[in-house]
Amino acid sequence: MTGIEFIELLARDASAVEFEGPVLAARSAGASTETIAELERAKGLALQVRAVLEARRRRESELSALYETANDLAALTDLDAVLQAIVNRARQLLQSDVAYLTLNDEGQGDTYMRVTEGVLTASFRAVRLPMGAGLGGLVAQKATPYSTADYFEDERFRHTRSIDSAVADEGLKSILGVPLLLGRQVIGVLYAANRSVRPFGREEVALLVSLAAHAAIAIDSARLLAETQQALSELEAASEMLKSHTDNVERAADAHDRLMRIVLRGGGVDDVVREVRAVLGGDVLVVDITGEVIAADGDGSPQPHELVVAEKSLATSATAEGDGVISAPVLAGADQFGALLLRRTVDLHESDRRILERSALVTALLLLFRRSVAEAEGRVRGELLEDLLTGADRDPEGLQERARVLGSNLQQPHAVVVVQLTGDRARVSQAAAYAAGVNGGFAGIREGHLVVVLPDRTAHEAAKIVEDGLRPATGAAFTAGAAGPAGGPAAIVAAYQEARQCLGALVALGRTDRIATAGDLGFVGLLLGGDHRPDAFVRSTLGPVVEYDAARRTQLVETLEAYFRVGGNLSRTAAELHLHVNTVTQRLDRVAKLLGEEWTEPGRQLEVQLALRLHRLTG
């Protein structure tokens, strides 16, 4: 026997028991004592070599497992998958029945199962370990590996009923636990356990410690990755918010510039409405406190529910919305001008709401400015009207020049309307000044009546304009006398006296809520008018005929007087005037053209005869 047999056994990785074969064979063959001793020594050396080779293979397997674990960490995408792989490798390398990993719960102050491998019972998977209780609690508390060959016989750690029950249900005997460390902080425990009594060697403890270190790194890497992803997400959200804020600031700045340009160039409310629609979209309206539209871009008819929202915004002095419309109050201090309405189907961003509110403020400023200008111009026009009615004969040229500065020409035909005052006097005066100003006329209060003078209008046209402008302010009956048109300061004053007389007649007759001219009232106006001015009656009834005679040196007035003296007989009229009948007919045709064909009607003839008599009496 040379010992070559042991080398052959090593070559084919034979089990330890097979190494006894050559020694037994030699003894059976009757080998000498020296030979048997030599074979025993060779067997011992072979077994040592086999143990070294086994340890190297085991170490190679451990290093391979650690390398694979490191690769898993390098490509960390799913923490649960990495931890599960570590627990699986721990069970395989330590050849244990069970492996599992617990993590600390800082909120509850204990540890809980995170990953298990080989566990059979649900109670064990759900167990929680208080700090310091059980082997795992001791490992977590002391930050040191602990192992026990027989868990229930080991008194080094505190047993609890819940932990012991779970361990018993799972049938575990020997347990090894090593801490998961991040620096000096224990974040959990990695375990290997068997269902039989079996001590764990130092190599197994070292291997499990290495795997625990990888598990701790995996957990920390996952935490850092999660924090990084959250930071990136928050950064993206902040970036989007900043971009949105920047866009909103730029839009607000652009809207502010647009509104300021409107103010600086002397624009109006219509310009504001157009800009609001260009910036915010939707239909835009400005309504006054009565619901009347001041300006609009889009459908200019406010709906009842929209006016309710406008009233709410005015009542609260704040932006209100509802049913697809947003209303911003148009306020200047305590003055309420109305509301700026925006029809919009989508929600309004906060910055857009501020744009709408700023637009409402600019609208209020423009309306306040317009009102101030109108009031100032109204005062100037009112003063001119007062001077015209009280001193037209003193300085007619001065009156003409003052009117020219205001863009008016007193030589143009003007109609005069005198209105009986009702309602809020200040509001009525303001409405009259506005109606007169936009029509190039004048308005003022004189002797308890409102007087409005408008150019290039007939008496009835002027009265209609004044009524439309004053109805919302008066709210009650509208009673007015009208006269004109008349050109020149003196004629305008005469028309004022005539209109005032017509108003007096209406009041005397109790005919309120009516508008009348001298032509409407006839000689009744002369009888009942407050001033009883016959010249006004003559002018309104016979004026065109008198003026025709004066301009052409004709005798139409004389022909009419003769015609009425003889009872309307053409032949007797011709005889009295020593004229041919055809001449009389031609003169009466001219009268019809000047007074209108209805002058021959009985009621009209009575007025013409009365006017002829007054004309003759007044020279």
Side-chain angles (χ1 to χ4, degrees):
M1 301 297 288
T2 61
I4 190 74
E5 296 89 346
F6 294 109
I7 297 176
E8 291 175 349
L9 290 172
L10 288 173
R12 65 182 180 84
D13 196 19
S15 64
V17 70
E18 292 183 69
F19 283 80
E20 295 292 336
V23 177
L24 293 175
R27 285 177 176 164
S28 298
S32 64
T33 303
E34 291 80 4
T35 301
I36 296 299
E38 187 69 24
L39 287 175
E40 287 286 354
R41 190 171 69 85
K43 181 191 73 170
L45 292 174
L47 288 174
Q48 290 180 10
V49 171
R50 182 182 181 279
V52 170
L53 293 174
E54 182 68 25
R56 288 184 177 177
R57 281 197 301 270
R58 186 170 62 252
R59 184 59 177 167
E60 181 181 353
S61 177
E62 294 172 356
L63 291 175
S64 177
L66 293 175
Y67 178 75
E68 291 175 359
T69 303
N71 284 338
D72 291 341
L73 293 177
L76 177 64
T77 56
D78 185 349
L79 176 61
D80 287 335
V82 173
L83 294 180
Q84 187 68 56
I86 291 173
V87 170
N88 291 346
R89 287 172 189 141
R91 184 187 180 199
Q92 294 169 3
L93 293 175
L94 272 67
Q95 298 180 356
S96 61
D97 297 326
V98 174
Y100 52 98
L101 183 148
T102 62
L103 292 179
N104 292 352
D105 187 335
E106 299 295 339
Q108 296 193 22
D110 60 4
T111 63
Y112 64 95
M113 290 288 180
R114 176 65 185 271
V115 181
T116 65
E117 179 63 27
V119 172
L120 302 176
T121 61
S123 61
F124 191 82
R125 294 191 188 97
V127 71
R128 299 184 73 94
L129 286 72
M131 290 293 183
L135 182 142
L138 187 62
V139 172
Q141 187 180 50
K142 300 295 185 179
T144 301
Y146 278 87
S147 66
T148 178
D150 190 345
Y151 176 81
F152 290 101
E153 298 299 326
D154 199 329
E155 300 297 332
R156 291 177 300 164
F157 41 82
R158 179 164 55 93
H159 290 265
T160 66
R161 179 178 300 177
S162 60
I163 298 175
D164 288 357
S165 176
V167 173
D169 289 345
E170 191 62 32
L172 299 181
K173 296 292 186 179
S174 57
I175 303 173
L176 167 63
V178 298
L180 303 179
L181 294 172
L182 281 181
R184 295 185 177 181
Q185 181 183 3
V186 178
I187 62 172
V189 179
L190 178 62
Y191 299 86
N194 294 297
R195 294 186 175 92
S196 60
V197 176
R198 187 195 112 181
F200 290 92
R202 287 184 301 174
E203 297 82 1
E204 292 175 314
V205 174
L207 176 58
L208 200 60
V209 168
S210 297
L211 291 172
H214 284 83
I217 293 172
I219 294 171
D220 191 48
S221 298
R223 178 184 61 81
L224 293 175
L225 179 60
E227 291 178 354
T228 302
Q229 291 174 340
Q230 182 179 358
L232 287 174
S233 177
E234 292 175 352
L235 184 60
E236 290 177 359
S239 178
E240 287 296 325
M241 186 179 298
L242 180 60
K243 182 178 181 300
S244 176
H245 179 70
T246 301
D247 292 342
N248 291 334
V249 169
E250 290 177 353
R251 291 181 72 247
D254 177 64
H256 180 267
D257 291 342
R258 292 187 182 204
L259 295 172
M260 287 304 99
R261 283 195 293 269
I262 291 174
V263 175
L264 293 175
R265 71 168 183 261
V269 178
D270 289 335
D271 299 311
V272 174
V273 166
R274 282 192 293 271
E275 292 297 344
V276 172
R277 184 173 190 180
V279 174
L280 301 180
D283 293 342
V284 184
L285 303 87
V286 176
V287 297
D288 63 17
I289 57 176
T290 66
E292 294 294 324
V293 177
I294 298 175
D297 194 348
D299 184 2
S301 302
Q303 300 300 314
H305 74 275
E306 295 175 337
L307 295 179
V308 171
V309 177
E311 291 174 0
K312 180 180 179 182
S313 67
L314 285 171
T316 60
S317 298
T319 301
E321 59 183 297
D323 296 333
V325 67
I326 304 168
S327 174
V330 179
L331 307 173
D335 293 333
Q336 292 185 336
F337 291 99
L340 176 60
L341 301 177
L342 172 65
R343 296 192 184 109
R344 184 160 161 162
T345 56
V346 297
D347 292 338
L348 199 64
H349 192 275
E350 186 60 30
S351 62
D352 291 341
R353 184 184 296 269
R354 288 195 293 271
I355 290 175
L356 184 67
E357 292 171 349
R358 183 171 297 177
S359 301
L361 176 60
V362 171
T363 301
L365 292 176
L366 292 176
L367 291 175
L368 181 62
F369 178 72
R370 186 176 77 177
R371 187 179 73 179
S372 299
V373 171
E375 290 176 351
E377 184 176 340
R379 284 194 297 271
V380 174
R381 288 179 175 272
E383 291 170 359
L384 175 60
L385 177 62
E386 178 67 19
D387 292 344
L388 172 64
L389 298 180
T390 58
D393 56 342
R394 292 198 296 269
D395 187 14
E397 294 182 358
L399 293 172
Q400 291 275 27
E401 179 61 23
R402 288 167 61 187
R404 186 188 64 77
V405 172
L406 294 173
S408 300
N409 182 2
L410 294 181
Q411 294 301 328
Q412 286 182 293
H414 285 71
V416 181
V417 182
V418 180
V419 184
Q420 184 177 20
L421 277 175
T422 58
D424 186 335
R425 181 166 179 159
R427 189 178 174 193
V428 171
S429 179
Q430 180 181 343
Y434 177 76
V438 297
N439 289 280
F442 310 91
I445 295 178
R446 177 170 171 75
E447 298 179 354
H449 296 115
L450 177 66
V451 182
V452 182
V453 180
L454 300 180
D456 299 322
R457 299 288 193 279
T458 65
H460 284 98
E461 290 173 344
K464 179 61 176 170
I465 291 173
V466 174
E467 180 183 16
D468 291 343
L470 266 62
R471 274 291 187 189
T474 58
F478 183 85
T479 309
I492 293 174
V493 172
Y496 160 69
Q497 296 294 348
E498 181 178 321
R500 182 180 174 187
Q501 186 175 358
C502 291
L503 175 60
L506 287 175
V507 173
L509 291 169
R511 301 301 300 274
T512 57
D513 202 15
R514 290 286 302 274
I515 302 171
T517 64
D520 298 327
L521 296 173
F523 70 90
V524 175
L526 174 66
L527 295 175
L528 299 178
D531 292 337
H532 304 291
R533 292 177 56 86
D535 55 335
F537 177 73
V538 172
R539 184 172 61 254
S540 64
T541 305
L542 201 62
V545 175
V546 175
E547 292 172 359
Y548 190 89
D549 278 352
R552 292 171 175 77
R553 297 181 181 276
T554 57
Q555 296 176 325
L556 297 181
V557 172
E558 184 180 355
T559 302
L560 280 172
E561 289 176 333
Y563 176 76
F564 285 121
R565 278 198 303 271
V566 299
N569 188 294
L570 292 178
S571 299
R572 293 176 59 187
T573 302
E576 185 167 328
L577 295 175
H578 307 289
L579 296 173
H580 192 276
V581 173
N582 290 340
T583 302
V584 174
T585 301
Q586 291 173 359
R587 288 183 178 182
L588 293 180
D589 287 342
R590 173 61 60 184
V591 170
K593 291 181 179 180
L594 293 172
L595 299 183
E597 294 293 339
E598 69 277 5
W599 80 274
T600 59
E601 295 177 359
R604 183 66 168 154
Q605 283 190 13
L606 177 61
E607 293 180 356
V608 172
Q609 290 183 62
L610 179 59
L612 287 170
R613 180 64 59 89
L614 290 173
H615 177 61
R616 182 65 62 190
L617 291 174
T618 56

